[in-house]
Amino acid sequence: MASASASSSSSALSRLSSISRHFNPSHPNKDGVALIKISPEVSEALSIGRAVVALESTIISHGMPYPKNLETAKEVEAIVRENGAVPATIAILDGTPCIGLTIEELERLARLGPRAQKTARRDIAHVVATRGNGATTVSATMIFAHMVGIPLFVTGGIGGVHQHGEHTMDISSDLTELGRTPVAVISAGVKSILDIPRTLEYLETQGVCVAAYKTNEFPAFFTEASGCKVPCRVDTPDDCARLIDANLKLELGTGMLIAVPIPKEHSASGNLIESAIQTALREARDKNITGNAATPFLLARVNELTGGASLASNIALVKNNALVGSKIAVALSQIRECCRKGGLE
């Protein structure tokens, strides 16, 4: 009984500490300088245990042109709110990591476009130290989400092992981040410009649980299927929430990837897009475009070749991921609330 009482007391103290931390909208270092800024809306949601969904900002600055990027960012945040969660778009502005952006900050980032540095884990310290503006990728968004206690992050697609990655060692830091940061990532899988089988092998090596939503096959971003089976299938938001909750409670220390296929009504153009991808890959090889330059070139070229169909599909799947991710976040917050009440009884 004493042990149970101590555990309950510890849980209550932890809760009070969390509430105190989140009502302060910034995280200061020992010198009193704010290192991270949390918006009042996100701060309040975290303090009372509401569902919060982290969103990346690279898709805003590097994913599409202005003003389409701003329009999409607003629509994705609206979808999150409509489904009972609080959106927390993450970016670095003037050297300060921001968790949750105002409309004005979203517009600023959208207008900056590629002038905002594409920021992965390796770039964070540099962007902060130089007081720069950074659009966070999957890896950087996961880091900041974990820092403030957001367990779930929605994106379009993650990075992976690039074609011929066994020779070039061109492997996205998204994969290693999934192996070291306990945040669940909701995405439409990976694009077929990448080596999907090797990407899944690499995730297995990193100890990352990969689940597919309502399917046994890993989706390939623009298309519902890649030909690669997944080790885990989940069919409802509750299934996903229980999986995430178990991963966190067991303190496995790894992230989790939940792959959601593109909606059927938008997958019809998949064959056209796949054909364009193969053409773009050949052109990239002929022009010796590699490394960080490869993905932006390929996506822009595919959009040209498909007459904008790939951008429309991209936006559709991001919105769908936001819908599914929000429902998962709400289910997870309900599980946590039940556990908390049970621990206090």
Side-chain angles (χ1 to χ4, degrees), residues 76-237:
V76 168
E77 287 203 347
I79 289 168
V80 173
R81 288 193 176 94
E82 287 163 7
N83 287 278
V86 172
T89 300
I90 295 175
I92 301 174
L93 295 174
D94 299 321
T96 300
C98 299
I99 318 297
L101 302 184
T102 64
I103 293 298
E104 292 75 21
E105 288 169 333
L106 279 176
E107 178 151 9
R108 179 185 174 192
L109 197 61
R111 286 183 179 276
L112 277 171
R115 287 177 292 161
Q117 182 172 339
K118 191 174 182 180
T119 305
R121 172 182 275 269
R122 69 166 188 186
D123 310 299
I124 292 172
H126 172 69
V127 176
V128 170
T130 58
R131 297 183 181 178
N133 298 308
T136 55
T137 63
V138 169
S139 64
T141 306
M142 288 180 71
I143 290 166
F144 291 126
H146 179 55
M147 279 184 183
V148 300
I150 301 173
L152 186 142
F153 160 48
V154 165
T155 185
I158 65 164
V161 178
H162 283 252
Q163 298 287 341
H164 312 294
E166 69 274 23
H167 300 300
T168 64
M169 296 301 291
D170 192 352
I171 301 169
S172 171
S173 64
D174 296 353
L175 305 188
T176 47
E177 204 61 51
L178 277 159
R180 70 198 295 185
T181 302
V183 171
V185 177
I186 315 301
S187 87
V190 300
K191 300 179 183 75
S192 60
I193 59 173
L194 302 171
D195 188 324
I196 295 176
R198 282 194 171 91
T199 296
L200 292 172
E201 283 290 342
Y202 197 91
L203 286 169
E204 189 274 334
T205 300
Q206 292 290 313
V208 177
C209 175
V210 177
Y213 190 68
K214 297 184 178 181
T215 178
N216 295 311
E217 201 165 319
F218 191 72
F221 198 78
F222 290 121
T223 55
E224 297 172 89
S226 65
C228 300
K229 300 295 182 185
V230 292
C232 176
R233 172 175 174 153
V234 281
D235 288 298
T236 66

Side-chain angles (χ1 to χ4, degrees), residues 11 15 19 45-51 245 249 329-345:
S11 176
R15 184 74 173 170
I19 290 172
L46 290 171
S47 71
I48 61 176
R50 277 195 66 191
D245 186 55
K249 282 179 177 172
V330 169
L332 180 60
S333 71
Q334 290 170 346
I335 288 173
R336 289 179 155 190
E337 182 66 15
C338 286
C339 289
R340 188 183 71 83
K341 286 181 177 178
L344 295 176
E345 288 174 355

